[in-house]
């Protein structure tokens, strides 16, 4: 295998009805191409797909949660 490739695996539980439906849907399909097209579609529709949690200074009686691509959320404890 080329060292230029990264392999990501997907598991399907054949006892789970939803997973069985997924497997039926992809039968006879180029799975790698199918997944790449889904990722491309997702990238076009969503600006951010991954959150990066950061600790920030907040008022003493609040906890702040900041994630990339989302507004600041303050929770009172």
């Amino acid at each position: 295998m080329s060292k230029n490739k990264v392999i990501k695996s997907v598991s399907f539980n054949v006892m789970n009805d939803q997973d069985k439906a997924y497997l039926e849907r992809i039968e006879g399909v180029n799975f790698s191409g199918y997944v790449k097209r889904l990722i491309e579609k997702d990238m076009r529709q969503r600006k951010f797909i991954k959150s990066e949690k950061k600790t920030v200074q907040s008022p003493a009686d609040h906890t702040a949660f900041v994630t990339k691509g989302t507004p600041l959320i303050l929770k009172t404890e």
Side-chain angles (χ1 to χ4, degrees), residues 43-76:
M43 288 171 67
R44 277 189 261 115
Q45 291 177 346
R46 296 170 36 173
K47 187 173 180 180
F48 299 102
I49 63 169
K50 189 179 193 180
S51 293
E52 294 179 8
K53 293 183 180 182
K54 297 178 183 178
T55 303
V56 295
Q57 188 65 34
S58 64
D61 60 340
H62 289 80
T63 302
F65 297 93
V66 179
T67 58
K68 184 176 180 182
T70 59
L72 176 67
I73 303 166
L74 293 175
K75 291 177 72 177
T76 304

Side-chain angles (χ1 to χ4, degrees), residues 3-75:
K3 61 182 174 182
N4 296 328
K5 292 186 178 184
V6 175
I7 296 176
K8 299 285 187 179
S9 63
V10 178
S11 298
F12 296 94
N13 179 347
V14 296
M15 300 302 289
N16 178 288
D17 289 338
Q18 189 64 53
D19 280 6
K20 280 197 264 186
Y22 296 153
L23 286 168
E24 289 173 8
R25 174 73 173 119
I26 61 171
E27 189 172 323
V29 172
N30 172 352
F31 184 69
S32 176
Y34 183 76
V35 171
K36 288 175 185 177
R37 284 192 308 276
L38 290 174
I39 294 169
E40 179 184 11
K41 180 180 176 183
D42 181 64
M43 288 171 67
R44 277 189 261 115
Q45 291 177 346
R46 296 170 36 173
K47 187 173 180 180
F48 299 102
I49 63 169
K50 189 179 193 180
S51 293
E52 294 179 8
K53 293 183 180 182
K54 297 178 183 178
T55 303
V56 295
Q57 188 65 34
S58 64
D61 60 340
H62 289 80
T63 302
F65 297 93
V66 179
T67 58
K68 184 176 180 182
T70 59
L72 176 67
I73 303 166
L74 293 175
K75 291 177 72 177

